[in-house]
Amino acid sequence: MTTFPSVEEFTAATGEHLGHSDWVEITQEMVDRYGAVVGDEQWIHTDTERAAEGPFGGTVAHGYLTLSLLSAMTETILTIDGTQHMINVGLDSVRFQRPVRVGKRIRAGATLTSARKLPSGCLFGLRMEVEVEGEPGVACVAETRSLAVPWP
C-alpha cells in the first residue's frame, strides 16, 4: 500500500508505478454469482463439466467480472491522506488479453498516468494491468479515471 500524505504529493507521482494490489482468488462461486446478477450464465463460465472439455480446460471468469474487481484492488494499492473516498468516473480503454481461469489468483499493478487538483477533488488516471499468478503476460489492461474526494 502506498500512502500519499497530500494530493500535491500524489499528483507529483504522475508517471510512477504505485505498486500492486493484494491477490484475489477467482472462485466458481464468485463467477456463478456474478453471472446470475448480470444475466450471463454462459456454459464457459458456469458449467464446470462442459467447460472442462472446452477451449480453456475449465471455467473462466467473465471479463467484466475481472474489470469490476479493479475498484477494490485500487483501494489496496493506494490511499491519499485528506481524502474520504474515491469515485469511479469512467474508463478510457479496456482490453481483455487472456482469460482468467477459475481457481487462479489475480492482482493489479497501477501506474499513475495523470492527476490534477480540482475544486471537487483530485481527478486521476491509472493504467491498471491485471496479471494471473504464475502465467505470463496480462489478462486485462484498463485505463481508469477516478476522483479522490476531500474531507469537507
Side-chain angles (χ1 to χ4, degrees):
M1 167 80 71
T2 302
T3 300
F4 293 92
S6 67
V7 168
E8 290 75 20
E9 289 187 47
F10 178 66
T11 59
T14 299
E16 293 181 20
H17 188 268
L18 304 179
H20 290 91
S21 71
D22 295 340
W23 289 101
V24 176
E25 182 179 357
I26 302 301
T27 66
Q28 188 62 55
E29 178 185 5
M30 180 188 296
V31 171
D32 291 345
R33 292 176 69 193
Y34 181 85
V37 167
V38 301
D40 181 356
E41 297 178 270
Q42 185 182 54
W43 65 268
I44 201 165
H45 304 300
T46 61
D47 187 336
T48 57
E49 289 180 21
R50 185 173 176 194
E53 302 299 321
F56 306 112
T59 51
V60 295
H62 305 75
Y64 287 125
L65 169 57
T66 301
L67 184 65
S68 72
L69 294 171
L70 291 181
S71 292
M73 289 180 175
T74 300
E75 291 182 11
T76 71
I77 296 172
L78 70 100
T79 59
I80 308 166
D81 288 346
T83 63
Q84 59 178 312
H85 60 271
M86 295 180 203
I87 298 172
N88 295 322
V89 175
L91 299 161
D92 287 342
S93 67
V94 177
R95 296 290 178 269
F96 301 112
Q97 297 183 234
R98 66 179 315 125
V100 176
R101 290 180 292 141
V102 169
K104 292 290 190 170
R105 294 190 330 155
I106 62 172
R107 72 176 182 175
T111 299
L112 183 62
T113 57
S114 64
R116 63 184 172 134
K117 195 171 180 180
L118 302 173
S120 57
C122 180
L123 182 64
F124 65 95
L126 296 174
R127 177 180 173 87
M128 303 289 286
E129 295 186 353
V130 178
E131 64 183 80
V132 179
E133 187 175 38
E135 295 184 8
V138 295
C140 175
V141 178
E143 301 283 341
T144 67
R145 295 290 172 253
S146 302
L147 181 70
V149 178
W151 288 99

